[in-house]
Amino acid sequence: MVTRRSFIQTVSNGIAYTSMAGSGLLMACQSRSDQSKEAEKQSTQNEEKKKGKLGIALVGLGKYSEEQLAPALEETNQCYLAGIVTGTPEKAEKWKTKYDIPEKNIYNYETFDTIKDNPDIDIVYVVLPNSMHAEYTVRAAKAGKHVICEKPMALTVAECDQMIAACKEAGKMLSIGYRLHFEPYNLEMVRLAETKTFGNLKKIKAENGMNGTEGWRVDKELSGGGPLPDVGIYCIQAVRYTTGQEPLAVRAKEGPKKDKEFFKEVEASLTWEMEMPGGVIAECKSSYEEDMSLLRAEADKGFFELKPAYGYSGQKGETSQGKMDLPKVNQQALQMDDFAEAITKKRPTPVPGEMGRQDVKIINAIYEAMKTGKRVEIPA
């Protein structure tokens, strides 16, 4: 069983690495060739700074960082990959070489707080198991860095409040990794609803799931739950941004488990309804045992839908009047560029901590409804 303690122990191995990563001590041991390479890397970082770009440090080098965020940062215009935080020396070496990251911009979980002394890094992107989001967001804010935190923002509303307060106290911005707010097809769903192109909304259907998962996502201490906070949160978000409203109450039911031992701590699937103002009902479903990706809105004079809706790419849309034809984008690149621009222009981010807090509140209400079998009102 992977626990929060064992996760930290695993990623924080290596006494020598702990004492040396992210510091200038290695410079004294390097050959002139190595020192020259370090100087070249720092020169590259300085050039990015001169262009007005903000430096981002990724905290946690798992699959999402490796396959989505790092490649996206090679396409961004307002920010760049400036540093990394990992407890695995092998990963540090791999990323250092691949992305030309200076040794002084490489940290582990014990040297993390010294990031406050590094002017190369403006933004910390927290990409860790859900239970660790609050701790590292607060630590990043105290280190004087702006923060992007992956969804779900945290496990509890109280943690969300701590994160928001820490960033406000530090005078730093907090954004949640809601990439679909920058994706053209999902934005078109918002536009069609706002303009009432097909009349008033009557019903929303949102489904998101995948056939299989692994690792800490089935450990309740680290994840906070099963598919609901992982992929079901996209359904919650989709209903919120499509309707432009907040749910009043929820009902929920856990689905059957094909592998009861594997899913002994968390749900394998669930269905839930969200009651929206004006009588609109949102029918939602999420699963770790079934592939699905749908966002459908039914209105007085027609429908509009995305299928698939929530992936990193490949969205397809259709309405009563025909198929949607919109540009393909790198969602993560647009998301990070927008946050960097928000910081430099001193404007609000469209995906702030308060938005993440609301989702956590809704998730907890859904779990209460699933557990009790009762209708649960969303607290104000």
Side-chain angles (χ1 to χ4, degrees), residues 127-201:
V127 202
L128 293 166
N130 305 340
S131 65
M132 302 171 75
H133 288 182
E135 175 186 348
Y136 280 87
T137 294
V138 170
R139 287 171 68 178
K142 288 182 177 179
K145 307 301 178 182
H146 301 282
V147 184
I148 305 174
C149 180
E150 258 312 303
K151 56 79 194 161
M153 181 176 175
L155 301 188
T156 67
V157 173
E159 285 183 334
C160 295
D161 288 338
Q162 292 169 9
M163 297 159 75
I164 292 169
C167 290
K168 285 184 177 178
E169 184 177 345
K172 299 299 174 181
M173 292 184 65
L174 171 61
S175 178
I176 310 302
Y178 291 130
R179 56 187 168 77
L180 293 177
H181 282 253
F182 308 92
E183 194 283 312
Y185 284 84
N186 280 270
L187 289 173
E188 178 67 359
M189 293 292 288
V190 175
R191 187 191 71 81
L192 291 171
E194 282 183 345
T195 58
K196 297 187 177 182
T197 301
F198 297 99
N200 293 316
L201 291 177

Side-chain angles (χ1 to χ4, degrees), residues 8-23 25-26 86-90 107-111:
I8 294 173
Q9 288 175 340
T10 298
V11 299
S12 298
N13 57 64
I15 296 176
Y17 179 71
T18 297
S19 64
M20 297 175 75
S23 75
L25 295 179
L26 287 180
T86 178
T88 308
E90 293 78 14
Y107 299 83
N108 62 34
Y109 298 106
E110 298 193 17
T111 62

